[in-house]
Amino acid sequence: DYDRAIENMRRACDLDRTNPQLAQRFIQLRFDQLAFQTSELERKIASEAGTAEDRIELAALFRAQGKHDRAIQFLQSASDTEEIDADSFLEIGKCYLASGRANLALVAFRSALQAKGMDQEKRKAGLLYLAEAYRHLLRFDEAMEAMEQLCTLDANYHNAYQLLGQFQAERSKQ
């Protein structure tokens, strides 16, 4: 059971913070867990028992392993058979943003915000990620506009109001 092993290894690392071998074993255990979860989900999806949520979870696992292109390719290939939903667009955008392709992330986040069936929490996340993508491109006016929309929905969401202030300060430095 990976969860129990990780928890035990975390405790061991907390007890002996000077042991680099424990830290390395902990990291390796976490990578092993990600690989196991990935293979299990791949098997489930290949057997056609997987759901849309499973595909998004698998893409998130790929992203956690730094396999951004694989996650994007996987989600886009699923779009050949069905319409891409807001969750998939958000995950694709996060992968693009994590791999330094903010311009493509913008497209994905905008698509997510326009997708059918987006609930309020996903909309907030989409606006936050959209603002981050604009920020990466040094397009502070658009980033602040997205943050203002987010603050209108929920100023406390991931410290949205404080982030808006940071964006304003960054813009003034330009």
Side-chain angles (χ1 to χ4, degrees):
D1 179 6
Y2 280 106
D3 290 334
R4 195 172 326 138
I6 286 174
E7 185 57 37
N8 289 338
M9 187 61 74
R10 185 174 286 130
R11 283 189 198 124
C13 288
D14 285 343
L15 292 173
D16 188 359
R17 293 183 184 266
T18 61
N19 189 337
Q21 291 175 334
L22 276 178
Q24 289 172 343
R25 286 185 184 154
F26 175 75
I27 291 168
Q28 185 59 52
L29 185 61
R30 181 67 179 124
F31 280 130
D32 291 346
Q33 180 190 36
L34 288 172
F36 176 76
Q37 290 172 328
T38 301
S39 66
E40 288 294 305
L41 272 175
E42 283 179 314
R43 207 170 321 174
K44 183 178 180 183
I45 291 167
S47 71
E48 298 184 11
T51 64
E53 290 80 19
D54 290 331
R55 286 194 298 279
I56 293 166
E57 184 179 345
L58 180 57
L61 287 170
F62 285 145
R63 185 172 43 86
Q65 295 171 51
K67 299 176 182 177
H68 305 114
D69 289 333
R70 187 157 181 210
I72 292 164
Q73 180 183 28
F74 178 75
L75 287 169
Q76 288 177 335
S77 69
S79 72
D80 294 341
T81 59
E82 58 191 62
E83 185 177 330
I84 298 181
D85 62 357
D87 289 334
S88 296
F89 277 123
L90 285 174
E91 191 59 42
I92 289 169
K94 288 189 264 184
C95 290
Y96 279 135
L97 196 57
S99 63
R101 295 177 278 183
N103 55 338
L104 293 172
L106 278 178
V107 174
F109 294 139
R110 283 188 200 129
S111 297
L113 290 166
Q114 295 170 355
K116 296 177 186 174
M118 176 171 256
D119 66 25
Q120 191 78 345
E121 288 303 306
K122 290 177 190 165
R123 181 160 187 72
K124 292 178 202 177
L127 287 167
L128 181 64
Y129 287 120
L130 180 67
E132 270 304 315
Y134 279 128
R135 183 183 191 188
H136 280 267
L137 294 170
L138 304 177
R139 292 169 58 180
F140 293 108
D141 289 336
E142 288 128 314
M144 288 176 17
E145 185 179 316
M147 289 304 294
E148 286 167 357
Q149 289 178 38
L150 176 57
C151 286
T152 301
L153 295 174
D154 183 354
N156 294 318
Y157 184 81
H158 291 273
N159 299 319
Y161 194 72
Q162 286 179 307
L163 286 172
L164 177 60
Q166 287 177 357
F167 286 9
Q168 288 170 333
E170 288 176 21
R171 182 184 68 175
S172 67
K173 289 180 185 177
Q174 248 186 339

